[in-house]
Amino acid sequence: MNDIEKFCDYIKESNDIVFFGGAGVSTESGIPDFRSKNGLYNTKDVEFQDYQPEYLLSHSCLINEPEVYFEFHRQKMDTRKVMPNDAHRFLAAMEETGKLKAIVTQNIDGLHQKAGSKVVYEIHGSALRNYCMSCGKKYPSDYIFDSKEKIPRCSCGGIIRPDITLYEESLPEDAVTGAVNAIEKADMLIIGGTSLTVYPAASFINYFHGKYTVVINRDKLNASFNSDTLVIRENIGDVMRKAAEILGIDIGGRR
């Protein structure tokens, strides 16, 4: 029995599955991840070469150099026209079967919901939501990207920002509570497309005490797992396509 067949057996035996994922889930859709060779942190755009990537995604940058922050956001974070890939569709189909109870995502692209997933805890927020920092007024997903102002402002004069958890900011309490509760109750945890280097998000997996842990990631992780953990070092999209075929799940949109 190969690893993907074993993965499918675990799914068959489980009834309360949670998926914990990161940027690698969306790379097949054309969104770069952060830390891989071709990731966002390793691209050298001339206009941003004097800045550390973490700074460009920080609260300090938003407050101290908002023009720089919003230019970077408009260039790198616009996912409105990006479509879900087979990994997103597989998870949405798994939710429909009743086995997958929740997705905990570090991504801000909204692709899980676009694929049809309903229970998604976005622990780093979403680039598809915006709000005024002064009065809290909400703005549509297009607003910041389409605004002609270098620093988008509300009618009250406040800065309109994306509902993203930046470096130096706390994670959204409701999403954290939902994610932790889901992981604690799960009998199977699938960890996919994440390097597990961003904290406190990466620590969430410590709340899992169920039977099966499966890690699907192309690169080796900087984390230790017990000997019972099934580790699949393949592209997550390939794994999900093969699993869908074995399980007889129609995910559509296959290439």
Side-chain angles (χ1 to χ4, degrees):
M1 179 184 296
N2 64 36
D3 286 344
I4 297 179
E5 289 172 336
K6 186 180 292 186
F7 172 49
C8 292
D9 281 348
Y10 288 177
I11 290 174
K12 292 174 184 177
E13 294 174 25
S14 304
N15 295 301
D16 196 326
I17 303 171
V18 170
F19 177 82
F20 180 93
V25 179
S26 295
T27 53
E28 202 169 282
S29 292
I31 300 176
D33 61 11
F34 292 91
R35 292 173 175 79
S36 70
K37 180 181 177 181
N38 298 313
L40 194 63
Y41 285 3
N42 292 312
T43 57
K44 303 298 182 183
D45 295 280
V46 174
E47 61 191 301
F48 302 121
Q49 65 182 0
D50 294 331
Y51 298 95
Q52 291 296 318
E54 289 88 350
Y55 175 73
L56 294 166
L57 293 168
S58 72
H59 181 81
S60 293
C61 186
L62 173 63
I63 299 302
N64 299 326
E65 299 184 78
E67 287 192 12
V68 173
Y69 171 81
F70 282 107
E71 182 59 30
F72 185 79
H73 179 79
R74 289 182 175 111
Q75 287 192 30
K76 304 297 184 181
M77 303 295 158
D78 188 357
T79 63
R80 292 171 297 168
K81 295 180 181 179
V82 179
M83 299 306 294
N85 60 53
D86 286 346
H88 300 107
R89 285 187 282 266
F90 175 81
L91 293 168
M94 284 290 296
E95 186 185 67
E96 286 188 5
T97 69
K99 282 185 173 287
L100 184 74
K101 303 301 184 185
I103 291 171
V104 179
T105 181
Q106 299 172 82
N107 296 342
I108 59 172
D109 51 41
L111 292 181
H112 285 296
Q113 292 92 326
K114 194 178 285 189
S117 293
K118 303 293 192 299
V119 184
V120 182
Y121 297 109
E122 297 173 307
I123 55 178
H124 289 159
S126 173
L128 302 180
R129 298 189 298 267
N130 305 295
Y131 67 92
C132 173
M133 295 175 64
S134 297
C135 71
K137 181 179 177 181
K138 296 179 180 180
Y139 284 81
S141 60
D142 295 332
Y143 194 88
I144 291 177
F145 296 114
D146 292 346
S147 174
K148 303 302 181 184
E149 300 175 293
K150 290 186 176 180
I151 305 173
R153 293 194 177 273
C154 176
S155 55
C156 78
I159 294 176
I160 300 168
R161 61 162 288 176
D163 190 11
I164 295 171
T165 306
L166 302 173
Y167 285 104
E168 306 159 352
E169 295 181 336
S170 299
L171 302 185
E173 189 174 329
D174 289 349
V176 169
T177 300
V180 169
N181 288 341
I183 292 171
E184 282 183 325
K185 293 187 300 182
D187 57 10
M188 178 177 178
L189 179 64
I190 305 170
I191 302 166
T194 174
S195 61
L196 292 178
T197 55
V198 177
Y199 282 81
S203 66
F204 284 22
I205 64 172
N206 296 328
Y207 289 97
F208 177 68
H209 303 291
K211 188 173 183 180
Y212 296 123
T213 303
V214 179
V215 176
I216 306 169
N217 202 64
R218 186 179 51 203
D219 302 316
K220 187 176 181 179
L221 300 186
N222 296 318
S224 58
F225 298 95
N226 62 45
S227 58
D228 294 332
T229 300
L230 175 61
V231 179
I232 304 175
R233 294 277 298 278
E234 294 186 40
N235 178 283
I236 190 168
D238 293 337
V239 173
M240 297 307 196
R241 277 187 287 276
K242 293 173 185 175
E245 186 173 349
I246 292 170
L247 294 168
I249 295 175
D250 180 15
I251 59 175
R254 296 189 195 181
R255 296 173 302 164

